[in-house]
Amino acid sequence: MTHGRVNPAHTLDTQGITGLGDVYYNYLEPALIETALKNGEGTLGKGGAFLVTTGAHTGRSPKDKFVVRTPSVENSIWWDNNTPMDADKFDVLHADMLAHMKGRDYYVQDLFGGADPSQRLDVRVVTELAWHGLFIRHMLRRPEASELESFIPEFTIINCPSFKADADKHGCRSETVIAMHFDKKLILIGGTAYAGENKKSVFSLLNYLLPEKGIMPMHCSANHAPGNPADTAIFFGLSGTGKTTLSAEPSRTLIGDDEHGWSDRGSFNFEGGCYAKTINLSPTAEPEIFATTEKFGTVIENMVFDPETKELDFEDDSLTANMRCAYPLHYISNASETALGGHPKNIIMLTCDAFGVLPPIARLTPAQAMYHFLSGFTSKVAGTERGVTEPEPTFSTCFGAPFMPRRPEVYGKLLQGKIAKHGSTCWLVNTGWTGGAYGTGSRMPIRATRALLSAALDGSLNKGEFRRDANFGFDVPVSAEGVADVILDPRRTWDNPEAYDRQAAKLVDMFSANFEQYLPHIDADVKAAAIG
């Protein structure tokens, strides 16, 4: 039986998905919560938040993600980074998943990927869990009721956590699978209840489709000066580097916290919500994000809570360090109503340096920006991926390698061209360790990071005195208002300067070794910017 609002010409039956139980199309938040509670999928929390745990999978499963290898994508997919799946194996997987779905109830959300109407992707998300429907309804752009009457899905995602893949039969690695078929415009997800797989699948789709239109897809947050979208800033960075926290600065207008595009018109959010980490979330340091954890419909994922009072424990990471909350953008008071910005005036590349070598902020030339964008150095933070229990230094090109279907140079050249055309100022910001490496030093003070970013965005930092970094060749400010001078020179924060020098040399060597793979594909100025 069909329930809800849907284009009658484009029901699941018309897509060959038949024999299901009840199908609920485009339920709104109250109905989704009511249904999820009735199904026993989670618990109602304070303020009407929905509290849920995701079982064994509390983070993404990048090793279980596949792209179907077909002639149409053979020469455009970065196969060194994307594991191929045989088309015949995908067909078997698809048939088996459809058979598994028969007789079961499903929840369908028809949504937009992209705030710019001229560039958006119409996505249908079919979920076994009602709360997954709530989650993805927060995360993507929600059509008006009138738009649903004519909605035609361009891509469909089917998510069945209870389906267990067969590695030999389906050409995958384990019982968990995320398989993307660009020709069939279909993504199949099975064996994991972690909701983030839904949103990152849409990001991966846009990362493949948009470059053909000359649009730069970016794993970044973004904001702009109040009333002035021309003063837009974007913040590249992997999970745990501070994208969500730093972009939610109350004095600026939030465009979005994770995924954006840069077109000839300007910047635009892919999403309609935020997916914030909540471990050690502070009502003082992040009051707006903290407040969302007690708002109606916010999805609270993998947090420990008091069974009677429903009080959340923001410090207990016994389930995972990757505890999160998902909420619509309008829950942040300074969020943009349009989620559109101008061409970025400032580009910030966030890194979490577990070596304690990088300064809290550095100014980059355009060539240095390309070098650090392609390098994508950071440290994976505990819990974001399965098996990561403490920070691990890593290079994730374009600050988002797991979501990049094309070669890094495709995105790098797009960004390079847009920086050259629009004159963006580029900064590298370290939110990782200072005064020593992980285990010895301490995390960079958030107040110092915020003060430096404010000075960078208002232009005052650019007018001050800079020194040339001996290890990486970029410019580092000598002083900044509200920040102790010593923290701007990481060597001075170490008890043993010689130990810092050894650590810095080690990191430089890691950068150089990693960057060798890009040398045949980049311009001479970027090669010259490769260290010092």
Side-chain angles (χ1 to χ4, degrees):
M1 183 179 294
T2 295
H3 308 266
R5 191 185 298 267
V6 65
N7 181 344
H10 290 278
T11 62
L12 291 184
D13 286 347
T14 66
Q15 295 180 264
I17 305 175
T18 60
L20 304 182
D22 288 338
V23 180
Y24 303 88
Y25 290 92
N26 298 304
Y27 265 29
L28 301 182
E29 291 81 358
L32 287 168
I33 292 174
E34 184 179 36
T35 305
L37 290 170
K38 180 181 176 181
N39 294 345
E41 295 175 10
T43 302
L44 194 64
K46 294 183 68 174
F50 189 74
L51 315 179
V52 67
T53 56
T54 61
H57 293 264
T58 57
R60 291 180 294 103
S61 299
K63 294 181 180 179
D64 294 306
K65 184 178 177 181
F66 301 84
V67 174
V68 177
R69 197 165 201 156
T70 63
S72 68
V73 301
E74 176 65 38
N75 297 321
S76 53
I77 296 293
W78 180 23
W79 294 113
D80 290 342
N81 186 61
N82 294 269
T83 306
M85 175 179 280
D86 184 82
D88 291 337
K89 294 287 190 180
F90 179 90
D91 289 344
V92 175
L93 172 66
H94 187 200
D96 287 351
M97 186 172 285
L98 292 180
H100 173 84
M101 294 169 67
K102 290 189 182 300
R104 300 171 184 259
D105 295 346
Y106 277 83
Y107 306 88
V108 178
Q109 287 289 319
D110 292 328
L111 301 161
F112 300 140
D116 186 339
S118 66
Q119 308 298 346
R120 73 190 184 201
L121 182 71
D122 295 357
V123 182
R124 168 165 285 176
V125 185
V126 184
T127 62
E128 180 181 285
L129 298 170
W131 80 263
H132 272 196
L134 177 66
F135 171 89
I136 202 63
R137 184 170 173 80
H138 288 337
M139 297 314 304
L140 295 184
R141 309 290 301 181
R142 297 165 288 281
E144 298 293 335
S146 59
E147 293 176 300
L148 293 173
E149 303 292 345
S150 58
F151 187 95
I152 302 174
E154 298 174 66
F155 275 81
T156 298
I157 298 170
I158 303 176
N159 190 325
C160 300
S162 67
F163 176 82
K164 306 299 182 185
D166 182 310
D168 293 332
K169 186 178 182 182
H170 300 135
C172 51
R173 189 186 71 100
S174 69
E175 291 183 340
T176 301
V177 64
I178 304 100
M180 309 179 68
H181 199 310
F182 286 103
D183 291 357
K184 292 192 173 183
K185 300 181 183 298
L186 183 62
I187 300 175
L188 304 178
I189 303 174
T192 172
Y194 180 65
E197 299 288 10
N198 295 294
K199 95 179 201 85
K200 289 304 184 185
S201 292
V202 177
F203 185 38
S204 297
L205 279 178
L206 292 168
N207 279 342
Y208 182 76
L209 298 172
L210 292 182
E212 291 184 342
K213 301 179 180 181
I215 298 171
M216 174 66 188
M218 304 176 292
H219 189 207
C220 71
S221 57
N223 62 27
H224 67 72
N228 185 14
D231 186 0
T232 289
I234 59 174
F235 302 75
F236 284 106
L238 289 172
S239 176
T241 56
K243 290 196 314 301
T244 298
T245 297
L246 295 173
S247 61
E249 169 59 43
S251 65
R252 292 175 65 86
T253 298
L254 176 67
I255 301 171
D257 84 323
D258 197 39
E259 299 164 6
H260 294 78
W262 187 355
S263 69
D264 290 340
R265 186 212 57 78
S267 51
F268 62 98
N269 194 353
F270 289 166
E271 301 183 302
C274 300
Y275 192 31
K277 295 191 77 169
T278 55
I279 187 168
N280 299 321
L281 191 65
S282 165
T284 303
E286 299 103 1
E288 292 260 20
I289 298 174
F290 189 90
T292 69
T293 62
E294 293 184 6
K295 290 192 174 183
F296 180 78
T298 293
V299 175
I300 305 293
E301 201 176 48
N302 296 314
M303 287 191 70
V304 174
F305 59 89
D306 186 288
E308 293 184 9
T309 66
K310 305 301 186 290
E311 290 282 348
L312 300 172
D313 191 330
F314 292 87
E315 298 180 358
D316 189 337
D317 62 356
S318 57
L319 292 176
T320 178
N322 194 38
M323 57 180 76
R324 290 181 180 265
C325 63
Y327 50 89
L329 264 172
H330 64 260
Y331 279 8
I332 301 297
S333 62
N334 61 323
S336 166
E337 291 184 5
T338 64
L340 301 175
H343 298 290
K345 181 179 178 181
N346 285 280
I347 296 174
I348 294 95
M349 298 183 184
L350 300 169
T351 181
C352 175
D353 173 22
F355 285 84
V357 168
L358 295 176
I361 195 167
R363 186 177 59 193
L364 306 176
T365 66
Q368 289 171 339
M370 285 307 94
Y371 178 80
H372 285 278
F373 179 71
L374 290 174
S375 297
F377 170 71
T378 193
S379 301
K380 290 181 182 177
V381 178
T384 302
E385 295 180 7
R386 296 193 77 196
V388 179
T389 57
E390 61 182 44
E392 295 178 1
T394 187
F395 291 88
S396 184
T397 188
C398 307
F399 295 99
F403 324 116
M404 302 297 167
R406 297 179 183 271
R407 278 204 59 85
E409 298 82 18
V410 172
Y411 308 105
K413 289 178 180 178
L414 267 173
L415 184 62
Q416 186 176 23
K418 291 186 181 297
I419 289 173
K421 182 176 181 179
H422 300 288
S424 310
T425 302
C426 302
W427 306 88
L428 183 71
V429 171
N430 174 26
T431 61
W433 273 258
T434 183
Y438 170 77
T440 302
S442 57
R443 283 300 292 261
M444 193 70 66
I446 185 73
R447 288 184 178 179
T449 301
R450 283 196 163 124
L452 291 167
L453 278 174
S454 294
L457 298 185
D458 69 20
S460 61
L461 191 63
N462 217 14
K463 298 175 183 177
E465 181 184 355
F466 286 77
R467 65 174 178 84
R468 186 174 184 272
D469 184 83
N471 298 299
F472 288 91
F474 42 50
D475 290 337
V476 181
V478 173
S479 63
E481 186 175 351
V483 179
D485 290 353
V486 65
I487 206 170
L488 293 167
D489 186 351
R491 190 174 189 267
R492 290 171 59 196
T493 67
W494 283 52
D495 293 336
N496 184 341
E498 289 74 23
Y500 170 85
D501 293 338
R502 290 192 295 271
Q503 189 83 317
K506 181 179 178 181
L507 184 58
V508 166
D509 287 345
M510 289 178 64
F511 264 87
S512 298
N514 172 74
F515 204 75
E516 287 181 2
Q517 62 185 303
Y518 306 119
L519 293 178
H521 308 283
I522 59 173
D523 298 336
D525 60 339
V526 181
K527 290 181 182 179
I531 306 299

